[in-house]
Amino acid sequence: MPTSNTPEEAVADPAALLRDMVRIRCVEEELADLYRDEQEMRTPVHFSVGQEAAAVGVCAALREDDLVYTGHRSHAAYLAKGGDLPAMVAELYGKETGCARGRGGSVHLTDRAAGFAGSAAILGEMISVATGAAWALRRQGSRQVVVTFFGDGAAEEGVFHESLNFAAVHRAPVVYVCENNAYSISSPIAARQPADGSVTARARAFGITAERVDGNDVAAVHAAARRAVAACRAGQGPAFLELDTYRWREHVGPGHDTGVDRPREEVESWLERCPVRRAADALRPGTPDVEERLAAWDEEFRDETRLAVAAAKAAPFPAVDRLTDGAYGSPVHAS
């Protein structure tokens, strides 16, 4: 199981962090191959291969009742927060057993039991939703913390600035996590933002405690997340993390980057900074059997994914006469 839900004062076991990253990597690689080869998942997919340290490091600092919201690149955070893998896979196949009952697809995942409050495809949408949820929790006297993941492109939206300003004024317990992978689809950050600007600097302009971290170092991400979450839980208001990372695959779809949208040299330099390999290397001095563990986890999680896929394929599609359940005030019928 993922390492999320650890007590707030606890530091996650480095081996458990590595295991969670391997799980996410295996799940997404298996799904990407099936998506490409079988054409049965009729939903856009945004994989986080190469960015696993961000979701794992942050979610391992949260309690089970803390809430997570994400944008379109949602699988990693969903799994890191403890989301149900078979339900996620079924959702990609559009089945009634999916976590959104087959209505949402890859970009609309939810698991209330795990505290994964939701994801959405509209750029920056969940930044404001998470801010509102955090404000509500503060007004209720709750010690829960809200986290919202988004990319560097979403940080250019007006809702980003409005939300940070509101959260700062009302001391909302929300951690804003920008997974800065340097691209908005195929547009590099240098073509979109001033050379002397940074997302972290923009967050600090609102009086928010902000930190920029190597997003491919899971230990550094986890340490920064623990500081941010602790500050929120103590009533100090919002916090901001900018995690520098890089996606290995296309913006949307299962393919590997071909060097067309991004320089091949750049891609290769980031492949060498693989968060899984870096975590394994850090663990190796005190864990001589780390390679054996990696191989065993790889087999375990690929088998787990294949079982989830088989269950999803065997599950029914939503009934046509119930496709609008839950929409526009329609009643939700019992399954």
Side-chain angles (χ1 to χ4, degrees):
M1 290 298 295
T3 56
S4 62
N5 313 336
T6 54
E8 62 192 80
E9 69 277 4
V11 178
D13 176 16
L17 294 174
L18 174 59
R19 185 176 186 271
D20 282 359
M21 288 195 294
V22 172
R23 182 174 186 250
I24 292 169
R25 176 75 59 87
C26 290
V27 168
E28 291 211 307
E29 286 183 342
E30 288 292 317
L31 292 176
D33 287 347
L34 291 169
Y35 187 96
R36 179 198 61 218
D37 297 339
E38 297 184 346
Q39 298 288 300
E40 292 183 27
M41 295 177 237
R42 310 309 298 167
T43 173
V45 289
H46 300 78
F47 292 112
S48 295
V49 178
Q51 299 186 193
E52 296 90 352
V56 170
V58 171
C59 289
L62 301 176
R63 301 187 320 200
E64 186 172 10
D65 63 345
D66 292 329
L67 303 180
V68 168
Y69 294 85
T70 75
H72 52 271
R73 204 171 303 281
S74 56
H75 306 158
Y78 177 90
L79 293 174
K81 189 59 172 69
D84 184 273
L85 176 61
M88 186 191 92
V89 174
E91 189 61 35
L92 269 62
Y93 278 89
K95 298 302 184 73
E96 181 69 32
T97 53
C99 60
R101 299 184 64 192
R103 274 76 164 175
S106 169
V107 295
H108 296 103
L109 304 179
T110 182
D111 191 322
R112 292 185 180 181
F116 189 87
S119 58
I122 298 174
L123 190 64
E125 177 185 7
M126 287 310 200
I127 298 175
S128 61
V129 176
T131 302
W135 183 44
L137 290 172
R138 183 177 186 276
R139 288 174 61 84
Q140 293 166 9
S142 172
R143 295 189 71 242
Q144 291 168 265
V145 170
V146 178
V147 170
T148 179
F149 291 90
F150 52 90
D152 49 287
E156 297 163 7
E157 294 291 297
V159 70
F160 169 81
H161 301 277
E162 296 162 1
S163 297
L164 266 65
N165 182 77
F166 186 92
V169 170
H170 295 282
R171 303 181 70 81
V174 54
V175 181
Y176 298 99
V177 181
C178 177
E179 295 179 90
N180 188 345
N181 61 27
Y183 282 85
S184 179
I185 305 181
S186 60
S187 177
I189 198 167
R192 307 178 341 252
Q193 299 184 15
D196 59 348
S198 76
V199 184
T200 299
R202 277 177 264 160
R204 287 176 178 157
F206 293 101
I208 293 175
T209 300
E211 189 173 354
R212 190 169 187 175
V213 182
D214 181 346
N216 278 15
D217 181 342
V218 71
V221 172
H222 182 54
R226 290 182 67 246
R227 291 190 290 271
V229 169
C232 284
R233 214 179 299 283
Q236 297 176 21
F240 180 89
L241 298 176
E242 180 179 2
L243 309 181
D244 292 305
T245 186
Y246 201 81
R247 56 175 169 80
W248 289 11
R249 293 177 180 259
E250 301 168 304
H251 165 70
V252 58
H256 288 280
D257 191 279
T258 60
V260 174
D261 293 332
R262 299 180 293 182
R264 172 49 53 187
E265 297 79 11
E266 177 185 286
V267 174
E268 291 176 352
S269 71
W270 277 96
L271 291 178
E272 293 175 359
R273 297 167 62 182
C274 170
V276 172
R277 179 50 53 188
R278 288 176 66 183
D281 289 344
L283 197 63
R284 184 169 289 104
T287 312
D289 66 338
V290 66
E291 294 301 327
E292 289 80 359
R293 293 193 188 192
L294 288 172
W297 290 335
D298 186 277
E299 181 178 1
E300 174 189 352
F301 297 137
R302 291 183 189 279
D303 285 345
E304 179 188 19
T305 307
R306 291 164 188 151
L307 288 173
V309 168
K313 289 183 175 182
F317 286 104
V320 173
D321 61 352
R322 291 191 174 183
L323 286 177
T324 60
D325 279 8
Y328 304 108
S330 300
V332 178
H333 298 90
S335 299

